[in-house]
Amino acid sequence: MPISTHRVLQIGPLKPSLAVTLRTDYQAYVLPNGDERSAFLAEHGAEITAVVVSGVTRVDPDLMAALPNLKVVVNFGVGYDNIDVDAAAARGIGVSNTPDVLDDCVADTAVGLLIDTMRRFSAADRYVRAGRWPVDGNYPLTQQVSGSNVGILGLGRIGGAIATRLTGFGCSISYHNRRQVPDSPYRYVDSPVELARQVEVLVVAAAGGAGTRHLVDRAVLDALGSDGYLVNISRGTVVDQDALVEALTHGRLAGAGLDVFADEPNVPAALTKLDNVVLLPHVGSGTVETRAAMEALVLANLNRFLQSGQLVTPVR
């Protein structure tokens, strides 16, 4: 159980049941927005020792400075690019995330996006709903998924789960990482551009953050080419979104399946007009089972830290 000397702060929206638990079991504050925020921090900032946040809300150096006794940031999500971990480390603040428990659902989403993008099932559904089948005839032919050459940018836990699934489709798997994965059965390629040049589909599963910003840039998209497909289930910032929109609208890319965007929840209007693009509202881990497991791991991290100063799944 929480130690009474600790005060917990919820920052931004969280899963409703988690927010209720924080409020009832931990007497957590909720950081207000707008004009009330500064007044709240001035009055209560020094009380806060633990923050719980999701990936949609920033925890930056200014906020940390307003919480002078902050000891831990517990993140609801595997990605933690919303948290300035370097600033946290400099202040001795621990940071945790929720790895492993969402790998399968995100990998399932990636494969679903890949199939939908190449076979254009969503677009074909719209074709039927619009009454075009009796008028315009059979839907145009699309591309086969099984046996295709797939490149995975980021062969971590999620990237590996994606590769395992696609192996069942008879796909040839190549990958690029910052470092080659020892004993991997998949072929390593030493740059994102070269990987894109060698495959038909590029699946982006790299972690977000400053180090991977625009890792998929214009050169990578050009290497993928007019017959290539892009699938992104990582972070919108990993892809140069302006370059992607330009490539898709000018026919320099065959299609894209996107679960993440650079400025969520805002999606470029140009993408919504394209039938060769599948757009999802960041639902990669959005199943009842996975979100329950993420909630349990958030609480496990919070409880462990409040009791012992340790974390179950520290990010470093």
Side-chain angles (χ1 to χ4, degrees), residues 248-273:
L248 287 164
T249 54
H250 289 84
R252 301 202 327 270
L253 200 64
L258 308 172
D259 185 44
V260 290
F261 303 89
D263 181 30
E264 297 177 2
N266 301 304
V267 176
L271 294 181
T272 67
K273 299 178 175 66

Side-chain angles (χ1 to χ4, degrees), residues 217-230:
D217 57 11
R218 187 180 305 274
V220 173
L221 296 172
D222 286 345
L224 194 54
S226 59
D227 293 327
Y229 297 86
L230 180 79

Side-chain angles (χ1 to χ4, degrees), residues 91-114:
R91 297 177 65 96
I93 299 168
V95 178
S96 70
N97 65 341
T98 58
D100 299 323
V101 295
L102 48 67
D103 296 353
D104 285 334
C105 277
V106 176
D108 291 349
T109 300
V111 174
L113 271 174
L114 189 155

